[in-house]
Amino acid sequence: MRIKNLIAAWLLAVVAASALQAQGAAAAEELDPAFAPGALQRAAEAALPEEYIWTAGDAAALRPDRAKFNDRERELKIEPHVFRGTFQLSRVPANATLYVAGPRSVKAYLNGELVLDAAVDHRSPLAMHVFRAGVRSALRAGGNVLAIDAVRGWGAVAASDLPDVQQLAFGEIFVAKIVPAAPGENAAPLAITGPDWRSIAALPQGWQLPDFDDRSWPRVQTLGAIESSPGFFQWNLDAGLYDWPGYMGMSTYLRTYSLHASAVTHRAGGLEHVKALTNAGAGEPFAVRIPAGTTAANAPALLFDFGREVAGRLLVESACNCQAGILLSYGESVGEALSGKDYLGTNLLRVPPHGIARGPKSGFRYAWLRFVGGAPQTAFRSIRLEGIAYPVRYEGSFTSSDPMLNRIWLTSAYTAHLCMQDGVWDAPKRDRGWWAGDLAVTGPVIGDVFGDSFLLDRTLTHLVPPANHDVNGIPGYTALWIVTQADLYRHFGDKAALEEKRDTLLRLLEQMDRETDATGRFVNPHHSWLFVDWSPGLYAFTTDAEEGTELELVLAYRDGAWLLDQMGDGTATRRYEARASALAAEARRQFLYPDGTFGDRWQLNAMAVLAGVAIPRDYPAIWTHVFRDIGLNNTQTQTITPYFNGFLIQAMARMGHRRAALNWMREYWGGMLAEGATSFWEAYDLRWPKVHPHAYLQADGRTGYFASMAHGWSSGPASWLIEELLGVKAAAPGYRQVQIRPDLAGLKWIRGTMATPLGPVRVSADERHITVEIPAGTEAIVLLPRGKWSLNGAVVKAQSVEAGARPRIVVGQAGTYAFVRQ
């Protein structure tokens, strides 16, 4: 009878685990609108052929002193540049429109006739703008000459070491085309910028005339087609190209999806058939009455709410014979959208008759529309989100007896997916860039939840700096690049991909060598800007920032040595093992306090634990004096971002305090959920005001709507809950061996899945039952909680580990193993 009961319990556990894990995956995909059935579509438009060009040999990004040319230096290098291109026409089309983008000001002559004279409002936050003009009357059959006088763009912030991205960021780019269509409509171009154009930085007499002899001018520098590099889509550099016909601005591996608003609020003016905006099959199309004399102040208006943070852009489809004008403001909060001062500013959408217009790409939940132009009765076939998503599935999952933790896991995973765009970005709103520190948190989430290595590997490749430079210009981020590469290899075990980065790894380790002295002390010889966390004293040129950076370097030296060992480079392995030991010893000498802590800062003690500078005998002191009261009574006593909180809860788990880490997770990440988060934020503090919280977020030295409400570095709980509670970790690269160490940490039950390259590893646990399912090709080391267990009806004979706290059993064949506590 006892055996029958054990078998029955095992079968019940297997069935329950399978059902709940399926529910967990379904819940994740319900939150993420990209996973509606049939949602993801390939971009309809082909990649555009027109190229970014500039005067050859002139770009500041190619100069040795390029560091002084940045977005703050708006009055440097503003001399005019002249560009000339020729093209042939067999006949003059019925319509023709010239488009120019990149410069802050432009004068365009077609066959000697001035057709465009325009300049950008310097107050606009967009890096570039699209100028356009009808040019049919200036065209002629046969040869045509387009001559343009341009002053470089205003520039934008871009923390990239890639010269072409730096050049875009400084505004030294120019693109033009002539389309045989009315304004806003796309067609195969008559003329485009490309390598055959010529340019000089001067204004010779008669340069604009068609018979001017420009053969002595050099050919232009070309950066390639405007959609040819994911670097061109970073840092919001291309946000202004939303008005460029045919521009999609996304990598070929991304997909789009449609989503209608879940609610439409803040209505004003003559709006008709509003239901059509939330229900595509609601009969008559949405329409607006636009009286003569309509301005931004009195325009019909409404606010779209898409129900959650999304990544993409607004898409407007006309059902009118008129051209419509819409002022568009995005917002991650209602306040940001209605302020008209959102991160990208308020921008004019010009919707062609019976055509489509797209807004800028961004991250947002709300969109405020003011209808400022059109016919007296302007109808729209559709106004909806065109989401942009990376096509992966939620292969990993986590559910538990605590609904709050389940929401935290789902929101964390969704936050990471929002950041999977043309690379793994920090955020879909700001900065839309590759940051190595952010990747150190988001990377493990992507591996554990989505099982994807392509985007991680691609992002690491793009982050590689020139020789003798730090990643993102930050010494600690050089270290975290190595840490992320180690995590990537542990998870996926791709030896060929690792070998391709051998030289890069060695170069970055040598860069770290140059920044430390012979004793192992970080000395910052180039006075690089330091960053550990957005917390007072932990960035810029401070003692605590130096300490945090040195601790990150220790962790990187350890991971770097391990990677070199995996590649069989014994000499380099021994060198960097010794280097790690020397730095760790020096760090202990410098930073260990008499009370056994590394000071009172949460971040520094957490990194000391993770880097192995703090050793197990230090843990009781660190716990008692620094970590024990974190989150106690729903309070927060130190400033810390969700980014470094990810490292903090890792350190708490390393020290054996998973239950306390869970409590802090509930307080901190749960606090964001309580304030309305649908994705996790760039910054948060329990002490900040709770009314209109977005207005009080603090990040990057600023306060307010500038801060991002969907930041990948806040997604740490998604991997933590899988790795620390389900207890699934790679014991050998690529999960050829996996350790499974379930820890309920006070919960009644936990269920979930780890995505591995060999297939899913599934775990289900409660007080009496633990069920694990392993794929073919892996060996599992299962560490059970203290007690006597049976496996598939037979008593387990196991080795005792962790000072007798855990029985250890090894299973080497694919299948489901159900353990029952006797």
Side-chain angles (χ1 to χ4, degrees):
M1 181 64 69
R2 180 173 177 77
I3 293 176
K4 287 182 179 181
N5 289 340
L6 289 172
I7 293 174
W10 166 67
L11 289 171
L12 182 62
V14 172
V15 171
S18 178
L20 285 166
Q21 286 159 10
Q23 290 173 17
E29 297 187 356
E30 181 178 343
L31 173 67
D32 194 332
F35 289 95
L40 294 180
Q41 304 292 324
R42 291 183 181 273
E45 304 284 351
L48 297 174
E50 50 266 30
E51 299 184 15
Y52 286 129
I53 63 172
W54 195 247
T55 308
D58 179 79
L62 305 177
R63 292 170 49 157
D65 61 345
R66 60 183 174 271
K68 73 179 183 181
F69 299 100
N70 55 60
D71 66 288
R72 295 183 298 276
E73 305 299 337
R74 290 190 154 196
E75 300 308 316
L76 290 180
K77 294 197 83 216
I78 56 172
E79 66 279 1
H81 290 248
V82 175
F83 300 85
R84 286 172 60 93
T86 63
F87 60 98
Q88 296 285 324
L89 289 181
S90 60
R91 62 181 179 83
V92 175
N95 286 293
T97 306
L98 167 67
Y99 297 90
V100 176
R104 69 178 71 180
S105 64
V106 60
K107 291 182 179 180
Y109 296 82
L110 182 55
N111 297 321
E113 179 182 339
L114 179 65
V115 293
L116 177 63
D117 185 353
V120 174
D121 183 344
H122 69 90
R123 294 168 297 180
S124 170
L126 299 184
M128 67 173 85
H129 289 255
V130 175
F131 306 113
R132 67 188 189 182
V135 296
R136 181 189 181 278
S137 63
L139 288 172
R140 63 192 183 194
N144 292 261
V145 178
L146 181 58
I148 296 178
D149 164 17
V151 176
R152 76 164 179 91
W154 289 109
V157 177
S160 173
D161 294 305
L162 300 175
D164 56 352
V165 177
Q166 290 180 341
Q167 188 167 337
L168 259 74
F170 194 57
E172 292 188 307
I173 49 102
F174 163 73
V175 59
K177 70 177 177 180
I178 297 177
V179 173
E185 298 176 5
N186 193 29
L190 304 175
I192 61 173
T193 46
D196 55 337
W197 279 55
R198 296 179 184 274
S199 175
I200 60 171
L203 285 173
Q205 185 70 29
W207 66 270
Q208 75 275 28
L209 300 176
D211 57 356
F212 181 84
D213 186 359
D214 61 15
R215 286 176 296 178
S216 64
W217 294 10
R219 302 283 187 186
V220 293
Q221 172 206 6
T222 176
L223 282 70
I226 63 175
E227 294 180 299
S228 62
S229 168
F232 297 163
F233 309 143
Q234 283 197 99
W235 313 106
N236 284 295
L237 296 176
D238 69 331
L241 289 181
Y242 73 88
D243 205 21
W244 192 268
Y247 187 77
M248 294 297 287
M250 50 189 279
S251 299
T252 56
Y253 45 78
L254 294 179
R255 299 291 182 266
T256 64
Y257 65 91
S258 292
L259 182 69
H260 286 83
S262 60
V264 177
T265 63
H266 295 74
R267 305 177 195 176
L271 309 175
E272 300 179 356
H273 312 301
V274 175
K275 279 188 177 180
L277 298 173
T278 55
N279 182 353
E284 293 292 321
F286 168 71
V288 185
R289 296 192 303 275
I290 304 177
T294 294
T295 66
N298 64 11
L302 50 76
L303 182 73
F304 277 65
D305 178 0
F306 291 101
R308 76 215 78 185
E309 179 90 14
V310 291
R313 55 196 158 204
L314 195 74
L315 186 147
V316 180
E317 190 172 1
S318 170
C320 181
N321 292 325
C322 64
Q323 174 170 293
I326 302 173
L327 291 177
L328 170 64
S329 300
Y330 293 142
E332 293 184 299
S333 63
V334 171
E336 181 184 11
L338 295 180
S339 72
K341 299 177 181 179
D342 64 284
Y343 187 65
L344 296 180
T346 298
N347 295 289
L348 177 64
L349 285 189
R350 296 180 281 198
V351 189
H354 296 284
I356 289 175
R358 291 177 168 89
K361 299 171 295 178
S362 192
F364 57 97
R365 174 175 173 172
Y366 302 93
W368 186 34
L369 282 67
R370 288 174 285 168
F371 299 89
V372 294
Q377 182 87 356
T378 301
F380 296 92
R381 185 166 288 109
S382 177
I383 303 178
R384 62 187 187 274
L385 170 77
E386 182 176 65
I388 300 175
Y390 183 74
V392 286
R393 305 297 302 184
Y394 285 77
E395 304 289 348
S397 64
F398 176 85
T399 56
S400 73
S401 55
D402 185 341
M404 171 64 77
L405 291 180
N406 300 342
R407 285 187 63 200
I408 289 171
W409 187 90
L410 290 169
T411 308
S412 298
Y414 178 55
T415 301
H417 190 225
L418 286 170
C419 298
M420 297 172 72
Q421 296 285 319
D422 300 283
V424 182
W425 286 349
D426 60 335
K429 181 180 92 169
R430 200 211 90 247
D431 297 303
R432 293 178 72 87
W434 300 315
W435 289 102
D438 304 58
L439 193 63
V441 175
T442 317
V445 175
I446 292 171
D448 293 357
V449 176
F450 302 109
D452 183 80
S453 62
F454 170 79
L455 211 58
L456 288 171
D457 186 75
R458 189 177 181 87
T459 304
L460 283 168
T461 298
H462 284 302
L463 277 166
V464 175
N468 304 316
H469 285 70
D470 280 301
V471 176
N472 296 126
I474 302 172
Y477 277 21
T478 298
L480 292 176
W481 186 100
I482 295 171
V483 171
T484 303
Q485 178 61 61
D487 182 81
L488 179 66
Y489 182 66
R490 285 188 193 97
H491 197 105
F492 294 97
D494 188 339
K495 182 68 71 70
L498 178 61
E499 290 284 358
E500 289 177 1
K501 291 191 172 63
R502 177 197 292 265
D503 291 345
T504 298
L505 173 62
L506 288 168
R507 182 154 58 83
L508 293 180
L509 287 166
E510 290 164 2
Q511 173 71 10
M512 288 164 47
D513 291 345
R514 288 188 289 271
E515 294 172 330
T516 53
D517 63 19
T519 69
R521 184 169 187 168
F522 173 68
V523 292
N524 198 15
H526 305 296
H527 200 58
S528 299
W529 191 82
L530 305 180
F531 179 78
V532 177
D533 196 17
W534 289 124
S535 180
L538 285 173
Y539 58 90
F541 310 103
T542 68
T543 300
D544 280 354
E546 289 177 352
E547 177 178 343
T549 300
E550 185 162 333
L551 294 170
E552 289 170 343
L553 263 60
V554 175
L555 178 59
Y557 274 129
R558 294 193 195 281
D559 278 345
W562 178 76
L563 289 170
L564 290 165
D565 182 56
Q566 293 296 306
M567 290 185 281
D569 189 338
T571 300
T573 298
R574 289 187 291 275
R575 167 180 168 76
Y576 285 109
E577 285 177 341
R579 192 76 177 145
S581 296
L583 256 74
E586 176 62 16
R588 286 185 68 81
R589 189 192 69 77
Q590 289 184 79
F591 307 131
L592 184 63
Y593 279 54
D595 65 358
T597 71
F598 288 80
D600 61 356
R601 301 299 297 267
W602 295 349
Q603 292 93 330
L604 299 181
N605 282 274
M607 189 52 65
V609 169
L610 297 177
V613 174
I615 56 179
R617 73 165 180 261
D618 302 323
Y619 293 173
I622 292 172
W623 180 252
T624 299
H625 298 301
V626 185
F627 290 167
R628 183 176 60 186
D629 294 336
I630 290 177
L632 191 65
N633 299 320
N634 194 26
T635 60
Q636 183 172 343
T637 58
Q638 296 191 25
T639 300
I640 186 170
T641 63
Y643 163 61
F644 226 93
N645 256 319
F647 297 122
L648 174 60
I649 58 176
Q650 286 182 40
M652 293 170 81
R654 179 82 56 90
M655 297 165 64
H657 293 282
R658 292 176 183 82
R659 185 177 295 204
L662 271 189
N663 290 336
W664 177 233
M665 188 183 295
R666 292 182 182 102
E667 296 290 347
Y668 190 84
W669 279 272
M672 283 185 265
L673 291 177
E675 294 180 36
T678 61
S679 54
F680 285 132
W681 305 342
E682 180 179 13
Y684 182 66
D685 194 300
L686 297 177
R687 299 166 292 185
W688 290 347
K690 305 306 178 189
V691 178
H692 307 304
H694 195 187
Y696 298 97
L697 298 189
Q698 300 174 23
D700 212 351
R702 297 174 64 175
T703 300
Y705 299 137
F706 170 86
S708 160
M709 298 188 85
H711 228 72
W713 77 3
S714 66
S715 64
S719 56
W720 192 94
L721 290 165
I722 292 174
E723 295 180 13
E724 298 297 343
L725 295 197
L726 299 182
V728 183
K729 296 181 181 180
Y735 281 85
R736 293 187 298 274
Q737 187 180 65
V738 57
Q739 176 179 289
I740 303 172
R741 184 190 183 280
D743 190 338
L744 290 173
L747 297 169
K748 293 179 180 179
W749 56 264
I750 53 176
R751 313 277 189 271
T753 306
M754 166 71 82
T756 85
L758 299 174
V761 173
R762 296 187 172 92
V763 178
S764 168
D766 59 31
E767 289 289 352
R768 293 195 61 244
H769 309 92
I770 293 177
T771 303
V772 302
E773 181 182 334
I774 61 172
T778 190
E779 176 183 76
I781 301 170
V782 183
L783 304 180
L784 301 166
R786 188 193 304 270
K788 294 182 179 180
W789 295 84
S790 64
L791 171 60
N792 299 350
V795 176
V796 170
K797 295 181 179 179
Q799 175 188 0
S800 180
V801 296
E802 296 186 18
R806 294 240 168 196
R808 176 182 184 272
I809 184 171
V810 178
V811 292
Q813 293 186 345
T816 299
Y817 297 84
F819 299 90
V820 179
R821 192 192 295 269
Q822 293 183 309

